[in-house]
Amino acid sequence: MRRTSNTIRTRRTVHVAAALLAGALTLSLTACSSDDDKSSGNGSGTGTEDSGSSLTLPKLDGTTLEVAAVWTGAEQANFKKVLAEFEKRTGAKVTFVPAQDPIINFLGSKIAGGQPPDVAMLPQPGAIKQAVDKKWAKPLGAEAKAELAKNYSQGWQDIGAVNGTRYGVYYKAANKSLIWYNAKVFENAGATEPATWDALLKTAQTVYDSGVTPFSIPGADGWPLTDWFENVYLSQAGPEKYDQLAKHEIKWTDPSVAQALTTLAQIWGKKDYVAGGADGALQTQFPNSVTQTFTGGDQPKAAMVYEGDFVQVNIAQTDAKIGTDAKVFPFPKVGDTAPVVSGGDAAVILKDSKGAQALATFLASPDAAEIQAKLGGYLSPNKNVDISVYPNAVQQKIAKALIAAGDDFRFDMSDQAPQAFGGTPGKGEWKDLQDFLKNPKDVSGIQKKLESDAAAAYGN
């Protein structure tokens, strides 16, 4: 189940991607917010085509479908609006089924009980491969594959394939190489946006000297810690090493891993740089890590928070305005090139039917993506989504950069790993990096634990 086979990119193409993404983001991510919502087009009833759309969907009156995903809060609410549009166009009834991490375990229990959902949104290529190996996943039909071919670059199509057969529609993407900051804190401190790791450390010290803790880190959730590591590792060790580590072709005891962990410890190991220190961070969940950065005026609990474009959903729960109060810069380069790490969620059919295939086709279309894009906190790898529907200039630039990169990106490393190592709360890489956050001096000990857990999960 280890990973899909087509996510490897050459050093040249990754450097191209870095130039596209980092350059575009550096020039434009601090643009002022424009909150004008764009219409995504409403369905014209059940059956055929939406006004202004070339997408044809079947009549599905009397059909019931279930879609499982781990999404909660605003993310879940926004996706339900997409499902509501599918219901309106087809006459089907779609129920959202809240799942728990790891979703493969959740689906296993559902399938064992004879009640699998029709479609599941899988957040890892490794999970897609596992669903195929277990014979849960059903191949995409001709209509869904045609929609994929029309709207997605080859790289995004390939990530959803196993042994050449298409199973996944990557409905949602993420740019996971961003650091968001409280603009008022930076202004008061006289801090500037850093382009390198050394400059980031200097910016952190400047912010600290002004009386505000530099970083908010959600240590209660293991996955943001893996994302921190991946950005440092990709930039510092390079794309070839990144691919090798992702496939466990090199061990976690490799000197390149020690170097990345030692670099991370320059922030994680400095308790005055982390809101609440290590103990506080380990009790801070991801949503709170964002909101505490953008509440409290110019005296928040932290000045910066690292994570992807989806941070906007959580910023929207505060009074901060994106582009003015809340700004963002690309993850600074640690080595020769700024990192470009992407993630995503794919729709995979578990119960093959006319309705499930129609839903996969809809999710592969710009019609579906544009509904959620205008709501914020969402990024689509669909190249035919109208960029203007994104709700602010910051998000529009992030989306443009992702599409401009085409096939040239690195997918989240932990998402490529077996879920037992890279995607399970309290186990594997998530737990090991939480332990490292608690004790960043023990680089060697954490490396040995990471390697032991990886070897067990990969089976080598």
Side-chain angles (χ1 to χ4, degrees), residues 100-125:
Q100 292 84 42
D101 272 323
I103 192 169
I104 284 292
N105 292 358
F106 172 84
L107 295 176
S109 64
K110 286 291 216 180
I111 290 169
Q115 296 181 317
D118 297 88
V119 175
M121 308 301 294
L122 300 184
Q124 292 103 1

Side-chain angles (χ1 to χ4, degrees), residues 287-298:
N288 293 338
S289 74
V290 178
T291 55
Q292 71 181 14
T293 305
F294 298 103
T295 53
D298 61 358

Side-chain angles (χ1 to χ4, degrees), residues 82-94:
V82 177
L83 299 180
E85 179 66 13
F86 177 78
E87 290 180 323
K88 184 175 182 181
R89 295 194 192 189
T90 64
K93 175 65 177 175
V94 185

Side-chain angles (χ1 to χ4, degrees), residues 120-207:
M121 308 301 294
L122 300 184
Q124 292 103 1
I128 298 175
K129 180 68 163 59
Q130 193 170 353
V132 172
D133 288 347
K134 290 177 178 291
K135 304 188 184 306
W136 297 348
K138 312 302 180 187
L140 296 174
E143 292 82 3
K145 288 192 290 187
E147 202 66 23
L148 268 182
K150 181 168 64 175
N151 298 318
Y152 288 77
S153 72
Q154 192 66 43
W156 283 104
Q157 294 181 58
D158 289 345
I159 291 172
V162 178
N163 298 326
T165 300
R166 305 250 183 270
Y167 291 93
V169 171
Y170 267 89
Y171 169 72
K172 186 177 186 292
N175 178 337
K176 296 184 130 185
S177 297
L178 303 171
I179 295 181
W180 299 81
Y181 68 94
N182 186 309
K184 190 64 176 177
V185 171
F186 267 47
E187 180 183 344
N188 291 347
T192 57
E193 296 182 2
T196 67
W197 184 264
D198 286 344
L200 177 64
L201 297 178
K202 290 177 182 176
T203 294
Q205 186 63 45
T206 299
V207 168

Side-chain angles (χ1 to χ4, degrees), residues 208 213-220 225 267-284 292 301-302 434 436-440:
Y208 175 76
T213 303
F215 295 98
S216 177
I217 297 178
L225 304 184
I267 289 175
W268 291 11
K270 198 160 184 177
K271 66 177 183 178
D272 290 340
Y273 276 14
V274 178
D279 289 342
L282 287 165
Q283 298 177 51
T284 302
Q292 71 181 14
K301 289 187 176 180
Q434 287 174 323
F436 183 63
L437 177 60
K438 187 184 304 181
N439 182 18

Side-chain angles (χ1 to χ4, degrees), residues 50-104:
D50 179 43
S51 178
S53 169
S54 62
L55 180 67
T56 301
L57 296 171
K59 282 192 174 184
L60 297 170
D61 297 286
T63 298
T64 60
L65 298 169
E66 289 188 342
V67 181
V70 298
W71 299 331
T72 60
E75 193 170 33
Q76 180 187 126
N78 291 348
F79 182 61
K80 284 181 176 179
K81 294 179 182 178
V82 177
L83 299 180
E85 179 66 13
F86 177 78
E87 290 180 323
K88 184 175 182 181
R89 295 194 192 189
T90 64
K93 175 65 177 175
V94 185
T95 301
F96 181 91
V97 178
Q100 292 84 42
D101 272 323
I103 192 169
I104 284 292

